[in-house]
Amino acid sequence: MKNVFLIKYGELAIKGKNRPIFENRLVKTVKKNLKVLGNFNVHKEQGRLIVEPNDEFVDKDAVIEMLTRIFGIIGVAYGTKEEEVTLEAVERLAYSHMKNLCEDANGQLTFKIETKRADKRFPLKSMEVSSTIGGYLLDEFGDKLKVDVHNPDVTLMVEIRNGTYVYSKTYKGSGGMPYGTNGKATLLLSGGIDSPVAGWLIAKRGVEVDAVYFHSPPYTSERAKDKVIELAKKVAVYTGSMRVHIVPFTDIQMAIHEKCPHQQLTIIMRRLMMDVTEAIADKNNSMALITGESIGQVASQTIHGLVATDDAAKRPVFRPLIGMDKEEIIQIAKKIDTFETSILPYEDCCTIFVPKHPETKPKLDRIIESQSKLDDVIEQLLQEAIDNTEVVEV
Amino acid sequence: MAEIYLDNAATTIPLPQVIDKMVNVLQNTYGNPSSLHKKGLEAERIIKESSEFFAKQLGCTKEEIIYTSGGTESNNLAILGVASAYARTGKKIITTTIEHASVKMAFKFLEQQGYEVHYLPVNKEGYIDISELENLIDEQTILVSIMFVNNEIGTINDIYKIGNIIKQKNPKTVFHVDAIQSFGKIPFSVRQLKIDLLSISGHKFYAPKGVGVLYKNKTVKLHSLVHGGGQQNAIRSGTENVAGIAAMHEAAKAVFANLSQDIEHYNELKTYFANKVLTEIEGTRLNGPALESSAPHIVNIAFSGVKAEVLLHALEAYGIYVSSGSACSSHKADKQYILGALGYENEDTDNAIRFSFGKQNTIAELDEAIEVLKKQIVMLRRLK
């Protein structure tokens, strides 16, 4: 008898011929994420991933927490396995599992049994396995157990595959689709609360997310940069990995500050950020951009501001937070564990680049006109920024 | 890129002989000083030799030396330990508004516990009004805690006068001095200054982080904060940090072997640097006391129109390291409380940079730093 984790994945199971690709991605992410928790065997088995620990001591709760975070997983169960595929093996597993549950319980437990027979060569049908094992358990445990098929305390799950599996509780996973199965998009990651959440939501749909961070030394500190990398690592817990492009942005900001009207600084800056991100997306086969914008949250995110920013992007811009309130965003940030990092106060001291009276209803044509004041320098500045971009894999 | 480290009030660069000593003790004198066998005895001797040295430098006995994990613990042990031990005598305790956070927060804690806390205001140069202190001290006053040298602007308090006044008014009032920025920078003796408790931190004088001293006059009672095996007369239980203590001893030996030359060196660096910056860069102003009367190793200068944090990062790009607000508190929103308490306006506190000097600094380095400063100030002021 061996302890195992059974991973259930939902949506991707229906994806026909692509299924092996999705499954392989998931196996890769699971293997990578579990490395910090010990030595595990991971293999596919007809609609399940089976994770078998090779170490004597395994922090079961940590493994479940890690697995339930990974995108594409809808549930994780912890149970036991026998290599042997016989009714006797099911009985042994069911007996030992139920024994543990009865020991923990106060008084009588109600239960039912559900059987999945993936191996159709097994001589008994699913229903027959359930009733046989149910009868066997009632004989063994007597008064301690009672059958209740409608509202049982315990649903004992039996799965008959290339081995025999028994478990009772399934922990809910993040859902979504395995990372990298739906193309690639590039996230403008700032270090605030919103953008990591936006990246997380898109990554949840299986999109590989590259991040771009704009670094403006000495106006933003090294610690602010470390913070952004830390945030990328937090999102990577769900995805397995993330690539962060760190763009030196001081010279561009200085040029905007010197040449453009101050009330339009932020919008023009965001348009240029789009330009840089587009160029990085070109280089990395990324098909869309992602921002953490939400209508009206700050002066540059009014609908006018968004129109002016959007105009600078060629690719579609995904804005998964567009209709969310700050409080809703914070809820997700807390759930995915980016919140505490986001609120660290190494805030860019680039408040110097924030206009005192920003324009809240910028007109696109006037913004473009103001931006044209940069025409003689901007191409070179953008090229320098892109050439000097540093790439960090987390 | 050569580094120019001008943040010696935050921490110093350990001296090579200090590092050698630490490694040597870790390798060879690994015994637990409480063990009965020879390895224990060897370790105990290292601590005893160190205590003898610190006692000699401070003018006390070796039994009055307690080792701690550093300045914060020394300050907490002194303040909380006295407050608890003397609570029956009275609950009135006094400090100033410009203490380090490890004193300030200990007092705030006691305030919540129902102690009567008085925070003495200071003038723009960081000095308290001694007569105000005199008026406050009464029968119920169990503790006065005042820093020797202010870590932000280098004010040197007249500890001699303060100590005498406290003891005249109430000989039973315990006098604690945070000497973290003055040990190895200003010669003094605890008996002469009538100090009962004094905090020292190793890493401010070329020793490693994680080790410090609390001098405790043998007549002072102190409740311990850490309970355990009864080491150090049960005031500070826990196996002593033998290697750290040996390293701190080694550092102190190096400091006191040349104390007067060192002080002269710091003063020369400070005066040269400050005068040059103040005369050659426009829009600069000295924060705190005049150069002649401030601590030898600290100077605080405001650069108008330039955010201190931005200037700090701009200098960092050239390998020049300085401080905007105390490093220990710079992650807090109220990081500039000290300058604020001194009566400076926001504009001045936002622009204030602390330069602090150490043994390793040279005049040539300062010339280089000033050249970079000049260029960066011009650059950064473009964006006013």
Side-chain angles (χ1 to χ4, degrees):
Chain A
M1 202 179 302
K2 259 202 252 173
N3 293 323
V4 292
F5 299 89
L6 288 93
I7 296 177
K8 304 178 185 181
Y9 40 90
E11 223 170 323
L12 65 132
I14 55 176
K15 296 271 172 173
K17 316 189 278 239
N18 289 328
R19 194 167 126 176
I21 303 174
F22 294 176
E23 286 174 335
N24 290 340
R25 272 321 272 243
L26 194 58
V27 169
K28 206 172 134 191
T29 307
V30 167
K31 277 186 176 164
K32 188 174 173 212
N33 279 18
L34 283 179
K35 262 184 201 155
V36 292
L37 295 175
N39 194 356
F40 298 87
N41 277 338
V42 182
H43 63 270
K44 291 186 281 182
E45 204 177 296
Q46 295 161 300
R48 295 269 183 271
L49 291 192
I50 308 295
V51 176
E52 292 183 18
N54 291 328
D55 301 330
E56 202 166 317
F57 177 78
V58 177
D59 184 345
K60 165 195 149 226
D61 296 327
V63 172
I64 289 169
E65 197 189 325
M66 177 68 91
L67 293 175
T68 48
R69 288 189 165 210
I70 296 170
F71 290 140
I73 292 178
I74 60 161
V76 177
Y78 181 65
T80 45
K81 173 190 181 179
E82 292 257 5
E83 298 293 344
E84 194 184 306
V85 186
T86 61
L87 196 62
E88 290 70 38
V90 181
E91 282 177 358
R92 283 198 296 274
L93 292 172
Y95 176 81
S96 115
H97 198 92
M98 207 42 108
K99 189 161 170 262
N100 287 334
L101 292 176
C102 284
E103 275 167 10
D104 293 343
N106 281 326
Q108 199 181 48
L109 273 180
T110 58
F111 79 110
K112 73 168 175 180
I113 295 177
E114 279 181 18
T115 304
K116 272 208 174 77
R117 192 178 51 130
D119 183 351
K120 302 292 180 203
R121 292 165 305 178
F122 195 74
L124 294 179
K125 290 192 178 139
S126 294
M127 291 294 282
E128 295 167 345
V129 174
S130 294
S131 62
T132 311
I133 297 299
Y136 164 76
L137 289 175
L138 286 171
D139 288 348
E140 290 292 324
F141 290 94
D143 285 349
K144 287 181 195 155
L145 285 182
K146 195 182 155 203
V147 175
D148 179 349
V149 291
H150 299 296
N151 193 20
D153 298 327
V154 176
T155 303
L156 193 74
M157 303 293 298
V158 175
E159 295 195 7
I160 295 162
R161 307 170 166 279
N162 291 333
T164 310
Y165 299 86
V166 166
Y167 59 92
S168 55
K169 190 173 174 196
T170 299
Y171 299 83
K172 194 170 178 299
S174 283
M177 301 186 67
Y179 193 57
T181 54
N182 255 331
K184 192 198 265 189
T186 306
L187 167 72
L188 285 86
L189 182 63
S190 71
I193 295 167
D194 304 338
S195 48
V197 173
W200 181 84
L201 284 168
I202 298 298
K204 187 175 179 203
R205 298 308 304 162
V207 177
E208 184 179 349
V209 175
D210 267 17
V212 175
Y213 167 62
F214 294 90
H215 187 43
S216 300
Y219 300 96
T220 52
S221 70
E222 279 295 301
R223 281 190 176 90
K225 178 170 132 185
D226 284 0
K227 170 181 155 179
V228 168
I229 291 170
E230 187 58 34
L231 285 172
K233 282 185 186 162
K234 298 251 175 187
V235 178
V237 168
Y238 295 84
T239 61
S241 65
M242 187 181 272
R243 179 181 289 177
V244 187
H245 303 266
I246 296 153
V247 181
F249 203 58
T250 316
D251 291 344
I252 292 175
Q253 277 189 311
M254 300 275 267
I256 308 170
H257 194 278
E258 281 176 2
K259 299 192 176 197
C260 304
H262 280 198
Q263 68 275 19
Q264 297 173 347
L265 285 184
T266 312
I267 296 286
I268 295 175
M269 180 185 84
R270 292 190 75 85
R271 285 173 57 85
L272 291 169
M273 284 178 169
M274 288 292 184
D275 288 342
V276 173
T277 310
E278 283 281 353
I280 289 171
D282 283 342
K283 277 193 191 173
N284 291 278
N285 301 317
S286 164
M287 300 165 71
L289 311 185
I290 308 166
T291 73
E293 288 159 318
S294 151
I295 294 176
Q297 196 184 100
V298 291
S300 63
Q301 294 177 25
T302 59
I303 207 159
H304 303 77
L306 291 172
V307 167
T309 311
D310 204 63
D311 171 73
K314 297 194 296 282
R315 289 170 169 76
V317 181
F318 298 152
R319 296 182 174 87
L321 311 184
I322 198 73
M324 287 191 197
D325 294 344
K326 194 74 187 180
E327 203 42 51
E328 294 174 280
I329 300 168
I330 287 172
Q331 286 301 323
I332 303 178
K334 283 184 175 163
K335 185 178 98 181
I336 67 174
D337 194 30
T338 55
F339 183 73
E340 294 298 323
T341 307
S342 286
I343 60 170
L344 287 176
Y346 315 122
E347 211 54 65
D348 14 350
C349 38
C350 72
T351 45
I352 198 158
F353 293 121
V354 176
K356 285 199 182 71
H357 304 289
E359 216 165 273
T360 52
K361 291 186 178 175
K363 292 220 170 58
L364 182 57
D365 51 344
R366 292 195 28 217
I367 295 285
I368 290 173
E369 192 192 317
S370 302
Q371 196 179 331
S372 70
K373 298 198 168 100
L374 297 168
D375 279 353
D376 50 335
V377 290
I378 197 64
E379 217 157 296
Q380 196 196 337
L381 289 178
L382 287 172
Q383 196 54 52
E384 278 169 14
I386 292 155
D387 291 345
N388 293 314
T389 290
E390 176 196 347
V391 178
V392 179
E393 306 270 356
V394 304
Chain B
M1 182 171 56
E3 286 183 355
I4 303 179
Y5 185 74
L6 303 179
D7 199 13
N8 290 273
T11 194
T12 53
I13 307 167
L15 297 170
Q17 65 266 42
V18 169
I19 296 168
D20 288 349
K21 182 75 183 188
M22 188 148 184
V23 171
N24 189 301
V25 171
L26 284 171
Q27 280 174 339
N28 302 311
T29 321
Y30 50 79
N32 184 326
S34 299
S35 291
L36 297 178
H37 49 64
K38 185 169 152 235
K39 295 312 289 182
L41 181 62
E42 285 169 4
E44 192 189 335
R45 277 190 184 139
I46 284 190
I47 296 172
K48 209 192 273 173
E49 281 166 26
S50 168
S51 299
E52 280 164 3
F53 185 83
F54 280 99
K56 186 166 151 250
Q57 298 309 330
L58 292 173
C60 63
T61 66
K62 68 175 189 300
E63 291 73 22
E64 294 175 314
I65 300 294
I66 301 163
Y67 295 101
T68 68
S69 62
T72 293
E73 189 191 336
S74 291
N75 283 339
N76 272 269
L77 176 55
I79 294 161
L80 303 179
V82 163
S84 166
Y86 292 83
R88 282 195 201 159
T89 312
K91 287 199 150 187
K92 186 168 172 184
I93 54 180
I94 302 170
T95 187
T96 78
T97 52
I98 59 165
E99 298 298 313
H100 184 267
S102 56
V103 169
K104 181 183 148 181
M105 297 316 286
F107 270 81
K108 291 270 179 221
F109 172 75
L110 290 171
E111 202 173 347
Q112 287 163 6
Q113 305 294 308
Y115 284 78
E116 178 191 343
V117 182
H118 294 265
Y119 301 95
L120 292 168
V122 294
N123 66 14
K124 258 199 151 174
E125 295 182 345
Y127 298 107
I128 58 161
D129 181 346
I130 295 181
S131 62
E132 205 172 332
L133 171 65
E134 192 175 359
N135 292 336
L136 270 176
I137 298 171
D138 58 19
E139 277 300 301
Q140 270 69 51
T141 308
I142 54 170
L143 172 69
V144 175
S145 175
I146 292 179
M147 74 194 329
F148 205 138
V149 164
N150 177 268
N151 51 311
E152 290 295 338
I153 55 171
T155 308
I156 306 175
N157 275 307
D158 191 343
I159 296 296
Y160 178 73
K161 207 166 158 191
I162 294 170
N164 274 300
I165 278 178
I166 293 169
K167 294 298 170 182
Q168 272 166 28
K169 286 278 296 199
N170 181 355
K172 285 180 187 156
T173 300
V174 176
F175 183 29
H176 168 246
V177 172
D178 169 354
I180 289 161
Q181 292 294 350
S182 56
F183 185 77
K185 311 293 187 319
I186 294 167
F188 65 90
S189 121
V190 288
R191 295 265 187 272
Q192 201 180 23
L193 302 183
K194 303 201 162 51
I195 297 170
D196 299 309
L197 293 162
L198 180 117
S199 306
I200 296 174
S201 168
H203 75 99
K204 306 288 188 192
F205 58 93
Y206 316 102
K209 289 144 197 77
V211 62
V213 166
L214 178 66
Y215 149 75
K216 181 187 85 67
N217 186 299
K218 61 181 174 299
T219 64
V220 170
K221 285 180 291 174
L222 210 56
H223 285 172
S224 63
L225 307 180
V226 179
H227 305 277
Q231 291 89 341
Q232 306 203 66
N233 292 323
I235 291 173
R236 208 283 195 171
S237 283
T239 302
E240 295 88 338
N241 174 2
V242 184
I245 292 167
M248 180 167 64
H249 177 197
E250 197 67 31
K253 280 201 290 194
V255 166
F256 284 94
N258 305 294
L259 186 58
S260 47
Q261 288 103 301
D262 275 1
I263 294 173
E264 207 174 301
H265 177 60
Y266 300 144
N267 257 318
E268 190 194 354
L269 294 167
K270 178 188 76 171
T271 313
Y272 178 83
F273 182 82
N275 281 333
K276 217 165 168 192
V277 169
L278 292 167
T279 54
E280 296 182 13
I281 302 179
E282 268 180 54
T284 49
R285 206 200 48 249
L286 181 70
N287 285 328
L291 293 175
E292 306 78 61
S293 49
S294 67
H297 64 306
I298 294 175
V299 64
N300 192 305
I301 297 176
F303 296 84
S304 72
V306 182
K307 266 202 164 186
E309 206 179 322
V310 174
L311 179 55
L312 177 152
H313 291 309
L315 294 176
E316 173 186 45
Y318 294 85
I320 300 166
Y321 301 102
V322 300
S323 164
S324 62
S326 155
C328 305
S329 65
S330 57
H331 56 284
K332 298 204 187 97
D334 65 340
K335 62 180 173 182
Q336 298 290 14
Y337 73 87
I338 289 176
L339 287 174
L342 290 165
Y344 290 96
E345 304 296 328
N346 269 345
E347 161 79 355
D348 299 328
T349 64
D350 278 359
N351 301 336
I353 294 273
R354 178 188 70 186
F355 303 90
S356 51
F357 309 98
K359 265 179 183 287
Q360 294 98 334
N361 293 127
T362 62
I363 292 281
E365 279 182 342
L366 298 186
D367 281 331
E368 216 178 309
I370 292 168
E371 283 316 302
V372 174
L373 247 180
K374 283 180 181 168
K375 287 191 189 122
Q376 290 304 308
I377 294 287
V378 173
M379 270 279 294
L380 298 174
R381 279 187 181 150
R382 268 167 59 203
L383 281 186
K384 207 175 169 183

